[in-house]
Amino acid sequence: MRIFALMCLLLSTMAVPAHASPIRCSTPSVSTFHTANTWYENLEFDGNTIWLSNLTGNAVEQYRLDGTFLQSIPLRAPGAIRRGPGGLYVNFGNDNPETRPQPSGVVRLTPKPEVWIGGDTLSSANGAEFDARGHLYVSDPFTGLYEFDRRGALVRHLDIAYPNGIVTIGNTVFTNILIDPKSAIVRITGDRQTRLELGAPDKGLDDLAVGPDGMLYVTAYTSGELIKVDPWTGAHCTLLSGLKNPTAARFLPGTRTMFVTHASGSVLKVRI
């Protein structure tokens, strides 16, 4: 996340035309689920509970959906939390390797963290998502996008500049580009990459979620927006604006309600 001082790079991928048919954003209902004096980086649901990654607090926290605190598990600089084969997986070491050269990887909560992907493959594990095969994709803003199989073995590395959030639709992968002059999302289908450009200036796209309507819901850290995007055409509209450094969104399974974390310490409930 904290790499905004780096130079913007352009990706050599195909761009979706800007004349895609427009889509509508209806006004959502918004309420506050939780606030704290910390940087919340990501989230995931586990039954009737929610897990939050407290980046600056170096911990993952579990709450009931009524807001009751359950537990905190120490973990250095946690990033994305995702449910996958065998439980919950959490990225760690989601920081700047130049200023804090410490290990980064993925742990599995069983219920205590056990390193699942370690070594020196990743320098700053940020976003994550499983695809339909159970393969895990992990973004590293400094070194690119990585695909791991169900055993945690590296399948491939994609040299993409500044990838951040990740979602999958089937076996198609979408990743936000954190630093990009045209605020791009990259859609990856096999070996083909397609850019969905949301326009200048750079919005600082952070993470994204797939809604029950099949649309992408994208948090824009710098511009303070929550943006709805058609994943196939790139058409988009602004669902919310005026947010203070939103970092990630995730839909409560089976509902039209997403929870949105912020670096400013709040977690919002947004009903579309």
Side-chain angles (χ1 to χ4, degrees), residues 41-218:
E41 173 69 8
N42 218 293
L43 70 159
E44 180 60 296
F45 298 99
D46 183 23
N48 292 319
T49 72
I50 182 173
W51 288 86
L52 303 176
S53 55
N54 185 338
L55 180 64
T56 50
N58 295 300
V60 288
E61 302 169 355
Q62 186 183 26
Y63 296 82
R64 291 196 182 98
L65 294 180
D66 63 5
T68 303
F69 172 77
L70 294 176
Q71 64 173 321
S72 177
I73 298 176
L75 186 66
R76 190 181 68 80
I81 310 171
R82 293 294 179 262
R83 174 160 289 285
L88 289 172
Y89 296 74
V90 188
N91 293 348
F92 68 92
N94 178 28
D95 51 14
N96 190 332
E98 296 178 356
T99 57
R100 297 180 63 182
Q102 300 183 56
S104 180
V106 182
V107 300
R108 181 166 54 198
L109 298 183
T110 58
K112 295 183 179 180
E114 295 179 358
V115 175
W116 189 62
I117 296 171
D120 56 4
T121 302
L122 299 164
S123 66
S124 183
N126 190 300
E129 187 63 281
F130 287 90
D131 69 11
R133 300 166 296 174
H135 284 204
L136 176 64
Y137 291 82
V138 178
S139 66
D140 185 325
F142 299 95
T143 60
L145 189 70
Y146 296 81
E147 178 186 354
F148 299 92
D149 66 17
R150 294 172 68 94
R151 301 168 298 166
L154 180 64
V155 174
R156 62 172 173 164
H157 167 237
L158 299 176
D159 187 15
I160 297 175
Y162 309 135
N164 202 291
I166 306 173
V167 294
T168 59
I169 299 176
N171 291 323
T172 299
V173 181
F174 299 81
T175 184
N176 285 348
I177 305 305
L178 180 62
I179 299 177
D180 187 281
K182 294 187 178 180
S183 305
I185 300 166
V186 176
R187 183 176 69 225
I188 304 161
T189 306
D191 294 327
R192 183 180 184 183
Q193 297 179 22
T194 303
R195 284 167 58 89
L196 311 176
E197 296 176 347
L198 307 190
D202 186 359
K203 297 176 182 292
L205 303 185
D206 197 333
D207 214 303
L208 68 171
V210 179
D213 54 2
M215 296 290 114
L216 302 179
Y217 290 82
V218 183

Side-chain angles (χ1 to χ4, degrees), residues 198 203 216-218 220 225-229 236-239:
L198 307 190
K203 297 176 182 292
L216 302 179
Y217 290 82
V218 183
E225 296 172 296
L226 183 62
I227 306 168
K228 178 181 174 181
V229 183
H236 57 278
C237 58
T238 301
L239 188 70

